[in-house]
């Protein structure tokens, strides 16, 4: 019996290196072909101005959600998803006997996007990885401001083809550390971490806006029973304006591949349309949960 046990132990120790190698190979494959689900919640600060109604700036805050799928392999990265934003804004009006001190507006925006990056190995290193590619970004805005009466309802559509660039800096913790904070001891295990910088620059900027000021009247005509009639008949597509976006992001991963991200995102749009300009900027602080789909 003892002899059989010794033989089993000998076989186990001989096979252990092979099992270890298989485990490392599987981990490397997962790192080279990652499939992640990203779920985000963010706080946003929104500023916009629409010259079709007034030159007033509207500012306010709200929250955003995001659903994104990510695929990363040895040569490229693909991200696609959508992100709704809900915000309550207030017009910046000087105190006056003729104008309201406060004019509130409900602001709703929906982004749908597809990003593609290609690795740039010639200028990359083990510490910094550079990527370049493009982004297709579609944005739908809905704005409601009851104080503007017939101009209370505003809608804009933006479609942007953008040039994109990204840099990932490896700041992984290689060794175990202990942080002494007064009477607390915080133990930090080795972990994969990275800092990312991303920028998007609009190359082709389309916008779908009205060819006149936002003034809507109820049509007394049986031919126009569709509430979206105005969007079809009196809106025009234009190719003009510009759009920029940046993102600074910190990511931390667990050995399982799951993790989280904290990001600051800035987006700016200027759309002249046919006659009146629309300008918008959003600042967003976003927390993202990374769910590894390779498992």
């Amino acid at each position: 019996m003892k002899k059989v046990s010794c033989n089993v132990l000998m076989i186990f120790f001989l096979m252990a290196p092979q099992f270890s190698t298989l485990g490392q190979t599987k981990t490397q494959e997962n790192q080279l072909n990652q499939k992640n689900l990203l779920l985000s919640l963010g706080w946003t600060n929104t500023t916009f101005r629409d010259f079709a109604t007034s030159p007033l700036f509207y500012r306010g805050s709200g929250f955003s959600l995001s659903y994104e799928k990510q695929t990363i392999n040895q040569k490229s990265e693909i991200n696609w998803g959508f992100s709704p934003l809900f915000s309550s804004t207030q017009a910046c009006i000087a105190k006056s006997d003729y104008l309201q001190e406060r004019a509130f507006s409900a602001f709703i925006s929906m982004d749908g996007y597809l990003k593609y990056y290609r690795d740039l190995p010639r200028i990359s290193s083990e510490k910094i990885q550079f990527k370049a590619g493009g982004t297709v970004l579609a944005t739908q805005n809905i704005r409601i401001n009851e104080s503007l009466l017939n101009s209370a309802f505003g809608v804009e559509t933006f479609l942007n083809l953008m040039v994109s660039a990204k840099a990932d800096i490896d700041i992984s913790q290689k060794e175990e550390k202990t942080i002494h904070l007064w009477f607390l001891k915080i133990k930090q295990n080795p972990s994969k971490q990275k800092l990312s910088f991303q920028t998007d620059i609009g190359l082709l900027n389309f916008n779908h806006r009205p060819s006149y000021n936002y003034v809507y009247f109820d049509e007394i005509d049986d031919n126009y029973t569709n509430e979206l009639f105005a969007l079809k008949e009196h809106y025009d597509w234009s190719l003009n304006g510009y759009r920029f976006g940046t993102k600074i992001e910190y990511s931390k991963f667990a050995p399982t591949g799951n993790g989280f991200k904290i990001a600051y995102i800035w987006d700016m749009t200027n759309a002249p349309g046919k006659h009146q300009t629309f300008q918008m900027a959003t600042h967003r602080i976003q927390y993202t949960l990374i769910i590894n789909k390779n498992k």
Side-chain angles (χ1 to χ4, degrees):
M1 188 70 178
K2 291 183 178 179
K3 187 175 181 180
V4 172
S5 300
C6 291
N7 291 335
V8 171
L9 288 173
M10 287 294 294
I11 294 172
F12 175 79
F13 282 116
L14 288 172
M15 293 294 293
Q18 297 183 18
F19 283 117
S20 176
T21 304
L22 287 173
Q24 291 175 2
T25 304
K26 183 66 175 177
T27 302
Q28 291 173 0
E29 288 178 356
N30 288 342
Q31 290 177 351
L32 296 178
N33 189 21
Q34 301 176 33
K35 292 183 179 180
N36 299 321
L37 174 63
L38 309 179
L39 303 176
S40 304
L41 175 65
W43 173 85
T44 65
N45 181 272
T46 304
T47 301
F48 70 85
R49 177 166 64 170
D50 181 15
F51 285 93
T53 55
S54 73
L56 297 176
F57 281 100
Y58 284 81
R59 292 187 176 92
S61 59
F63 68 94
S64 64
L65 304 171
S66 179
Y67 175 91
E68 181 176 329
K69 285 194 173 182
Q70 180 185 61
T71 301
I72 304 175
N73 58 38
Q74 196 172 6
K75 295 182 179 180
S76 63
E77 175 181 342
I78 299 175
N79 302 270
W80 67 269
F82 57 89
S83 177
L85 180 153
F86 307 90
S87 183
S88 176
T89 60
Q90 178 180 331
C92 300
I93 304 175
K95 187 173 182 179
S96 170
D97 294 332
Y98 302 99
L99 297 175
Q100 301 178 26
E101 281 191 59
R102 295 184 178 181
F104 291 98
S105 173
F107 183 87
I108 303 171
S109 181
M110 170 69 78
D111 287 341
Y113 53 89
L114 172 64
K115 292 179 176 289
Y116 176 81
Y117 295 102
R118 192 76 177 178
D119 291 353
L120 303 175
R122 292 188 178 182
I123 60 174
S124 300
S125 63
E126 294 184 2
K127 194 71 175 177
I128 304 178
Q129 186 178 22
F130 292 98
K131 301 179 180 182
T135 298
V136 177
L137 174 60
T139 302
Q140 179 66 62
N141 288 345
I142 298 176
R143 297 176 289 107
I144 302 172
N145 184 354
E146 295 182 357
S147 63
L148 294 178
L149 302 178
N150 285 341
S151 300
F153 184 72
V155 178
E156 300 90 29
T157 305
F158 306 103
L159 181 61
N160 305 93
L161 177 61
M162 314 182 81
V163 177
S164 303
K166 185 178 182 182
D168 293 328
I169 304 175
D170 186 8
I171 55 172
S172 299
Q173 184 176 313
K174 306 297 183 181
E175 300 177 353
E176 183 180 296
K177 292 183 179 180
T178 301
I179 299 176
H180 297 274
L181 187 62
W182 290 302
F183 56 89
L184 296 177
K185 290 184 179 180
I186 302 174
K187 185 179 179 181
Q188 292 186 335
N189 296 319
S191 61
K192 179 182 176 182
Q193 304 176 47
K194 67 178 181 179
L195 191 63
S196 302
F197 299 89
Q198 174 185 317
T199 183
D200 302 307
I201 302 174
L203 184 63
L204 295 176
N205 304 290
F206 297 91
N207 60 81
H208 191 234
R209 288 179 45 72
S211 56
Y212 61 97
N213 287 1
Y214 285 96
V215 178
Y216 299 122
F217 296 95
D218 294 332
E219 296 287 345
I220 308 176
D221 191 334
D222 292 338
N223 294 326
Y224 301 123
T225 57
N226 188 348
E227 295 179 356
L228 298 180
F229 146 74
L231 300 184
K232 297 178 181 179
E233 299 295 329
H234 299 296
Y235 276 59
D236 296 317
W237 280 101
S238 303
L239 175 58
N240 53 26
Y242 49 85
R243 189 167 189 175
F244 300 104
T246 59
K247 179 191 285 189
I248 302 174
E249 191 172 58
Y250 165 78
S251 306
K252 185 175 182 179
F253 299 88
T256 58
N258 297 330
F260 69 89
K261 299 181 181 183
I262 299 175
Y264 166 72
I265 305 169
W266 174 75
D267 180 41
M268 187 271 289
T269 302
N270 183 84
K274 283 290 183 181
H275 299 287
Q276 305 294 348
T277 302
F278 176 81
Q279 300 170 338
M280 179 181 70
T282 58
H283 302 266
R284 183 181 310 183
I285 298 175
Q286 181 172 276
Y287 176 86
T288 301
L289 186 65
I290 305 171
I291 302 174
N292 180 17
K293 303 297 288 184
N294 290 82
K295 297 180 294 183

